[in-house]
Amino acid sequence: MHRSGEQIVLSPTDLTKHVACTHITTLDAAVADSALEAPTAHDDELDLIIGMGLAHEASYLDVLRAEGRSIVEVPSVTGAGNRAWAERQTVDAMRAGVDVVYQGAFFDRGWGGQADFLLRVDMPSDLGAWSYEVADTKLARHLKVAALLQMAVYAERLGELQGVPPATISVITGDGECHPWRLVDVAAYARRVRARLRLFLADPPPTDAVPVSQCGQCRWLARCAGGWRRSDDLSLVAFMRRDHREALREHGISTVAALAATLPEDLPASIGKASRERLVQQATEQMRERNTGHPSYLLLPPADRAGLLRLPPPSPGDLYLDFEGDPYAEGGEGREYLAGIGNRAGGFTALWAHNRSQERQLTANLVDLLAQRWRTHPDMHIYHYAPYETAALKRLTARHGVREFELDQLLRGGRFVDLYAVVRQGMRISKPSYSIKKLEAFYWDAERNKNEDVADAMASVIAYERWLVQRDDATLGQIEAYNQDDVRSTHDLQDWLEDRRTEL
C-alpha cells in the first residue's frame, strides 16, 4: 500500500491482509499517509520464508526453461510512472506471444502488483489466437484462500488487458504440483472483498488490535503486543478465545484484572459455565504472579483418568522424547531432522536425518529403541510435551512404510504420555502461555536460553536451514544442546507433576 498523489495504490497482499485483520489496514494506511513509521525490526523467520519462496519460484522458472519455453522477465519497479511502464512491457510480451511472462506487472492506478508467471494458453483473445493465465508459486502444499484471492485480482486486470478473462488460475505448490482453479469460482468473492477494502479506506472506521492467526506473520506484532500489555487486554489470558473476549468486553470486562475480580456466575451467560470458571481461575492466577512476582498454580479437583491422574507410576525404564522438525524442507512436505531421547538416569541419544533416506533410518532406529525399551521394562512410558511427537511418529512410519506395526503396539499399549494434557486438565498456572518454556519457571526457577543462539523451536529451524547451506558443525551442536534441554525439561516436568499429584 502506498499513496500516489491523492490515490491510494493497493496490492493483492494488502487485500489478503485486510481479510485476515482490518487493523493491519489501519496501520499500513497510516504509513502510506506518513502518519506512522513502518517497523524495521529484523525477522529471521520471515527472511527464511521469503528466501525459500524465492527459491521455489526460481526452481519452477528453471522447469519452464528446461521445457524449452520462451520467457520474458519484466523488471521489478516502484513509482506510478515506472509501474505503468512495467505493465506496458508485460502487454508487449503478451502481444509477441511468448510462452511465459515472468513477473508480469499490472497497474490500473488503483491496484498494482506482479504475478509470478503468466502462462500462454490456446484460447483466442484480443492478442490473437492465444491468451494468458496467472500462475503463482506457493511454499504450502495445499491451496489457500489467500493465494486464490491474490491471483483473482491479477486475473481481473489480465482480462481487461487481453480482452477475455482467463479460464483458470493456478497455484504451483511446494512439491512442484500445479493446482488449477476455475476463476469463476473465486472472482465474485474477490470483487466483493476489493470493494469492501475500498469502502474501508474511503471512510476508515476505528479498529482494534485483536490476536488472529495472521499475527505470527505480521510486521506489526511487536506494536500490537505492546499495546495489549499496556492496556492489560484480555488477550493476555491464556487460551482466551476471540468470541469470549468480545463477549466479555461487551459485558464491560476489558482487562485481566477486571476478569480476575469477577465471579464466574457474573460473566456473560453466552459463555458456558465451565469456560466461565476456567477464565476466572486463569486470570486470577496470572494476577497472583503479577502481584507477588512469583509463579503460582491452582490444582484442579481430581478427575478419573484426567489431569494429574493421567500420570502412570514412574519407572526406571521411562524415556523422554522430543523432535526437531523443519516444515519447509523437502519442498514444503517437511522433515524431522532430529529426534532426542533421554532416560531417567540422564542419558541422551540424538538421532539425525539430513535427507529422506536418513529420515527413514531415523524412524526405524527410534521405534526399535522404544520397542526394545518396552520389552526390557514392561512398565515404562515415553513422555513428551504436546501431541507433536506422536503425530510425527505416525506420519513418519506411514511415509516410509517402516515399523508401523511396532508403533501401533506402542500406541495401543498406552506407552505415550502427553504431559501437556496433564497440565491443561490438572491445573491453572500463572502464565499467559502453557508452553514448556513457561512451565520451567516452576521447576528450574528461570526461563532458559534467553540469550542463546538456538532458544526456541523456530530458532532451531532457522539454525538448521543455515547449516544446510554452511555445513558448520558448531550449529548442529547448538541445535542438539537445545533439544537435549527440551528432553531434560520433560524429565524434570514429570518429576514436578508427580510432586503435584502427591500434593493433590
Side-chain angles (χ1 to χ4, degrees):
M1 182 187 303
H2 68 278
R3 184 169 290 281
S4 177
E6 294 299 314
Q7 177 74 53
I8 283 281
V9 179
L10 301 168
S11 72
T13 300
D14 295 320
L15 189 63
T16 57
K17 289 195 295 185
H18 182 73
V19 171
C21 174
T22 56
H23 194 58
I24 297 178
T25 304
T26 297
L27 296 172
D28 286 349
V31 172
D33 289 334
S34 301
L36 193 64
E37 288 190 9
T40 57
H42 184 69
D43 189 326
D44 287 336
E45 180 180 0
L46 184 59
D47 288 346
L48 172 63
I49 294 172
I50 291 173
M52 299 192 77
L54 292 174
H56 175 39
E57 183 181 301
S59 176
Y60 185 64
L61 183 61
D62 288 341
V63 169
L64 296 176
R65 284 199 180 103
E67 292 174 352
R69 301 200 199 190
S70 56
I71 299 171
V72 168
E73 179 176 355
V74 178
S76 180
V77 296
T78 58
N82 290 334
R83 290 173 185 270
W85 172 84
E87 185 181 80
R88 290 195 296 273
Q89 299 301 304
T90 300
V91 173
D92 288 346
M94 292 194 301
R95 284 178 178 152
V98 299
D99 296 322
V100 179
V101 181
Y102 178 49
Q103 293 295 305
F106 300 107
F107 183 65
D108 65 357
R109 302 294 169 184
W111 292 84
Q114 288 187 283
D116 290 347
F117 300 94
L118 302 179
L119 305 179
R120 174 174 164 157
V121 294
D122 293 329
M123 184 175 77
S125 68
D126 291 352
L127 303 170
W130 64 89
S131 59
Y132 290 84
E133 294 182 345
V134 178
D136 261 17
T137 53
K138 301 294 180 184
L139 280 175
R141 288 186 162 243
H142 305 285
L143 288 179
K144 294 183 178 179
V145 172
L148 297 174
L149 192 55
Q150 286 181 319
M151 288 189 294
V153 175
Y154 292 135
E156 182 168 339
R157 180 60 175 166
L158 175 60
E160 295 171 357
L161 295 175
Q162 65 184 10
V164 296
T168 63
I169 52 181
S170 298
V171 177
I172 291 71
T173 48
D175 54 2
E177 293 293 321
C178 180
H179 301 269
W181 194 272
R182 294 198 314 165
L183 177 61
V184 69
D185 291 334
V186 70
Y189 170 66
R191 286 193 296 271
R192 286 197 301 273
V193 176
R194 287 179 67 179
R196 194 166 72 210
L197 175 55
R198 278 295 182 197
L199 287 173
F200 179 94
L201 290 169
D203 185 17
T207 58
D208 187 23
V210 179
V212 294
S213 59
Q214 178 74 14
C215 290
Q217 308 167 39
C218 182
R219 63 177 178 168
W220 296 106
L221 177 58
R223 176 190 175 91
C224 293
W228 295 328
R229 288 190 295 271
R230 287 189 296 274
S231 64
D232 193 26
D233 190 85
L234 290 169
S235 61
L236 299 177
V237 177
F239 309 114
M240 175 63 70
R241 284 171 30 181
R242 183 172 181 174
D243 59 333
H244 287 169
R245 177 181 179 274
E246 292 173 355
L248 290 170
R249 287 167 62 88
E250 289 173 2
H251 200 68
I253 301 170
S254 60
T255 66
V256 180
L259 177 58
T262 307
L263 295 174
E265 54 266 30
D266 293 333
L267 297 186
S270 60
I271 302 176
K273 180 181 177 181
S275 294
R276 293 200 300 269
E277 292 177 352
R278 174 181 58 78
L279 288 171
V280 171
Q281 290 171 347
Q282 184 62 44
T284 299
E285 290 308 309
Q286 290 182 217
M287 287 302 300
R288 195 187 314 279
E289 177 171 343
R290 189 182 299 178
N291 293 330
T292 65
H294 301 290
S296 66
Y297 58 86
L298 170 69
L299 298 183
L300 301 180
D304 186 35
R305 288 177 290 185
L308 292 167
L309 298 190
R310 291 173 63 116
L311 288 169
S315 162
D318 287 340
L319 295 176
Y320 307 88
L321 175 63
D322 185 72
F323 275 107
E324 304 297 332
D326 183 349
Y328 308 113
E330 308 294 343
E333 188 176 1
R335 180 196 309 137
E336 306 305 324
Y337 56 87
L338 173 60
I341 314 98
N343 58 38
R344 290 290 298 172
F348 176 77
T349 300
L351 302 177
W352 287 92
H354 302 308
N355 54 48
R356 272 288 183 258
S357 175
Q358 291 180 13
E359 186 186 63
R360 185 180 192 277
Q361 192 60 53
L362 178 153
T363 305
N365 291 345
L366 175 58
V367 176
D368 286 347
L369 186 157
L370 301 178
Q372 178 58 43
R373 187 75 167 186
W374 189 18
R375 287 191 290 270
T376 306
H377 298 272
D379 59 347
M380 65 81 75
H381 288 84
I382 305 146
Y383 293 85
H384 56 99
Y385 196 78
Y388 185 87
E389 275 63 38
T390 50
L393 276 169
K394 293 174 187 176
R395 183 171 60 249
L396 289 168
T397 55
R399 174 186 293 161
H400 297 293
V402 296
R403 306 302 190 269
E404 293 174 276
F405 173 79
E406 290 81 359
L407 176 61
D408 184 63
Q409 294 300 300
L410 288 163
L411 292 166
R412 289 176 181 272
R415 296 302 96 187
F416 292 93
V417 181
D418 181 0
L419 295 181
Y420 174 74
V422 173
V423 173
R424 277 294 309 270
Q425 297 171 0
M427 64 183 67
R428 307 280 179 246
I429 65 170
S430 58
K431 302 292 182 180
S433 163
Y434 278 48
S435 74
I436 197 167
K437 306 289 188 303
K438 298 299 183 183
L439 278 161
E440 287 165 2
F442 293 96
Y443 48 90
W444 283 358
D445 299 323
E447 185 177 340
R448 65 180 159 105
N449 287 340
K450 281 189 175 181
N451 300 312
E452 297 293 331
D453 291 333
V454 180
D456 55 38
M458 182 47 63
S460 173
V461 173
I462 292 168
Y464 183 70
E465 284 287 339
R466 186 169 62 245
W467 176 84
L468 289 174
V469 176
Q470 300 175 354
R471 299 290 168 165
D472 175 13
D473 288 345
T475 299
L476 289 188
Q478 293 170 354
I479 296 171
E480 185 170 314
Y482 164 74
N483 180 264
Q484 186 170 2
D485 276 349
D486 268 355
V487 169
R488 183 167 61 92
S489 183
T490 307
H491 167 277
D492 292 356
L493 174 59
Q494 180 207 11
D495 286 349
W496 185 78
L497 290 173
E498 280 294 330
D499 290 342
R500 303 289 73 73
R501 177 163 64 174
T502 300
E503 177 183 345
L504 181 66

